[in-house]
Amino acid sequence: MHPFVCSAVKTRRIKILSLILVAVMTPPAIAQPLATQTLGHKPLCEPSAALIIDCPDKHGRCLLVGDNEIREALLLFDVTGSGVDPNSQRPLALDDATELSDIEALASLSNSGIGVFASHGRNSDCEAKKNRRRFGVIDTLITTPVAVTVTESKRIDCAGLFGSSTPDEALIKSVCAAITEAEQAADAVVAKAGGKPQCNETHAYNAEGAVNFSDTAAADLWIGLRSPLLPVHPTDNGRRNLAVLMHMQGVGAYSFDRIAILDMGGRGIRDLAYGDGWVWVIAGPPEDQAEGSEQPFELRRFSPDALKAGTTIVPEVINRNLPPSSEGLAIFNHQAIVLVDGDAGDDDASSACGRDAKVVMIPLAHEP
């Protein structure tokens, strides 16, 4: 064979072999195209929190869903081995005395209790509202309506989050500084009546994930921030625009004692879940994106043991093509159930959402 022909054949073989290796080494979930289904119906339009629970009627498992525009109820869906039944929506009314606005996270607590967390963030005009700075504890879902013990949080600053004697740690001080700067920027927008575009740029405090690792009465509860990001790691200048996890001291108050940092390429935390031995994260931009310019979100995971190491966590990418505005996450039967935010629309009397909520079910590799 002519040497040039031989060289071309070898080159072609190398390229083919490289493609095969890439296919073998790429996790199936990253390459897999995602199919969405419409989830439920109005009033559910903007799902923002998800949790797998025992159904209140004791028959099987259910998906509990929070909508960031619904204050008076949570929603239930049936789940089976194949995933969530998107047509099984039913309301779970909350006590009339409860007002948790902008619900963004749900977490399991001990003895079937449930933590319900408002974002503690600002509205679209950067105004701080008391009903957004609350969290609730549900002891049982049997009562109708469901009773929720609500705690109103302190101010969103270093003293409010970490106490008057803030731990003398460089990382906590840096996170405190980032939160303070973002909150001051949001206050300036309010003072100038700047409106939504300017508020969106401040990346004010906004918590959109919660996860508990304890089955005992003492919760091991971590809260994930969508914003602000930590601009620069205090001891590693190469790590920038980092997402923040904060460890709650307990469910008696919105106060924290530890911090963990995630490097997700400038993305914040849109939701958290625990399942199959992993912490799962929806990673997305810290700001709202303009319609038509939305970027895909990511599904990532890391071992809970990484929270004890004290080093920057770089969660593994499992799927880098989640739909924009993926806001809720639950793990069930080796599947990730991802809820996608829709739009309630401007007409409160309409029987349909302005844009339907969606659900995506992603098979996950089972690792015994």
Side-chain angles (χ1 to χ4, degrees):
M1 183 181 295
H2 192 280
F4 289 113
V5 175
C6 182
S7 176
V9 170
K10 286 182 179 179
T11 300
R12 194 160 52 246
R13 286 175 179 171
I14 290 171
K15 287 182 178 179
I16 293 171
L17 180 59
S18 297
L19 290 172
I20 293 172
L21 286 173
V22 168
V24 170
M25 295 173 67
T26 301
I30 289 179
Q32 177 179 316
L34 299 179
T36 63
Q37 293 177 272
T38 297
L39 179 69
H41 51 80
K42 204 167 187 178
L44 175 68
C45 298
E46 302 184 30
S48 52
L51 183 68
I52 297 293
I53 62 168
D54 291 328
C55 296
D57 62 8
K58 303 300 182 183
H59 291 96
R61 302 281 272 168
C62 282
L63 180 71
L64 185 66
V65 175
D67 184 303
N68 59 27
E69 293 297 329
I70 300 176
R71 305 177 185 181
E72 66 276 6
L74 300 172
L75 291 304
L76 284 169
F77 290 85
D78 295 326
V79 289
T80 65
S82 58
V84 60
D85 178 352
N87 300 310
S88 59
Q89 175 180 319
R90 52 200 184 275
L92 191 64
L94 303 178
D95 192 307
D96 288 342
T98 299
E99 188 177 348
L100 288 166
S101 182
D102 200 29
I103 294 172
E104 289 286 356
L106 298 167
S108 295
L109 303 177
S110 61
N111 300 321
S112 300
I114 296 168
V116 185
F117 295 86
S119 68
H120 288 70
R122 310 227 177 186
N123 66 14
S124 59
D125 291 321
C126 270
E127 298 166 327
K129 300 293 186 179
K130 286 185 177 180
N131 56 14
R132 287 172 168 250
R133 292 185 171 181
R134 293 174 177 167
F135 71 93
V137 175
I138 297 173
D139 290 326
T140 178
L141 297 176
I142 301 302
T143 60
T144 304
V146 172
V148 186
T149 302
V150 175
T151 300
E152 190 168 295
S153 304
K154 299 178 182 179
R155 60 192 185 279
I156 303 301
D157 60 15
C158 203
L161 296 171
F162 296 97
S164 55
S165 55
T166 303
D168 187 19
E169 297 178 14
L171 194 55
I172 290 181
K173 287 183 175 181
S174 295
V175 169
C176 278
I179 291 172
T180 298
E181 183 178 347
E183 287 295 294
Q184 289 175 345
D187 286 338
V189 169
V190 175
K192 295 178 181 178
K196 186 173 181 178
Q198 289 75 21
C199 183
N200 193 33
E201 295 171 2
T202 67
H203 295 177
Y205 185 95
N206 197 352
E208 294 201 355
V211 65
N212 177 35
F213 300 115
S214 174
D215 294 326
T216 68
D220 186 9
L221 191 61
W222 292 80
I223 303 298
L225 300 191
R226 166 180 168 174
S227 63
L229 301 178
L230 178 61
V232 183
H233 195 286
T235 58
D236 183 357
N237 291 338
R239 300 281 188 186
R240 295 173 178 268
N241 298 321
L242 307 168
V244 178
L245 279 169
M246 305 197 306
H247 183 262
M248 283 188 75
Q249 295 186 33
V251 294
Y254 197 71
S255 58
F256 304 88
D257 56 9
R258 281 182 284 152
I259 278 178
I261 297 298
L262 309 183
D263 189 343
M264 301 191 295
R267 297 171 181 82
I269 296 165
R270 293 301 186 104
D271 205 3
L272 295 165
Y274 179 65
D276 293 348
W278 297 92
V279 184
W280 300 84
V281 187
I282 292 179
E287 70 281 342
D288 289 331
Q289 296 180 304
E291 189 169 350
S293 65
E294 301 100 332
Q295 297 298 314
F297 287 35
E298 294 179 345
L299 177 64
R300 292 179 175 240
R301 72 177 186 182
F302 65 91
S303 168
D305 291 338
L307 293 168
K308 305 172 186 176
T311 56
T312 300
I313 300 168
V314 184
E316 175 189 6
V317 177
I318 300 302
N319 193 299
R320 63 179 76 256
N321 293 304
L322 297 189
S325 298
S326 292
E327 296 283 345
L329 175 64
I331 306 300
F332 178 73
N333 195 29
H334 312 306
Q335 292 185 91
I337 300 173
V338 177
L339 309 186
V340 184
D341 193 15
D343 190 336
D346 296 328
D347 184 0
D348 293 337
S350 173
S351 61
C353 299
R355 184 173 65 248
D356 289 328
K358 301 289 184 180
V359 61
V360 177
M361 285 171 274
I362 305 172
L364 304 172
H366 178 39
E367 302 172 8

